[in-house]
Amino acid sequence: MKLLGIILLLIGLIGTILFGVQAMNNSEAFNFLGIDIAVSSANWTPVIISGILALIGVVILSVRKRKVA
């Protein structure tokens, strides 16, 4: 169970970083009357899914098994 938590955490963190950088690079900004306006054409769904996987990995790692008497 601990191995599953570590794998999910690593996949989630790597995915969040990679997809986050990609999403930020797909965002554009332009100047209108001296005001910078940001327009995002990025797909944030992979970033959200990767974050959820990382969170599930943390939860699995933090849950301890109970001893049955």
Side-chain angles (χ1 to χ4, degrees), residues 22-35:
Q22 182 182 10
M24 287 190 301
N25 287 337
N26 287 339
S27 299
E28 299 176 12
F30 62 92
N31 193 345
F32 181 72
L33 298 175
I35 300 171

Side-chain angles (χ1 to χ4, degrees), residues 32-63:
F32 181 72
L33 298 175
I35 300 171
D36 286 331
I37 299 174
V39 178
S40 179
S41 62
N43 184 7
W44 291 96
T45 306
V47 178
I48 295 169
I49 292 172
S50 298
I52 291 171
L53 283 177
L55 183 63
I56 291 171
V58 169
V59 169
I60 289 174
L61 286 174
S62 65
V63 171

Side-chain angles (χ1 to χ4, degrees), residues 10-24 46-47 50-51:
L10 288 176
I11 290 173
L13 288 176
I14 292 169
T16 301
I17 292 169
L18 291 177
F19 291 124
V21 169
Q22 182 182 10
M24 287 190 301
V47 178
S50 298

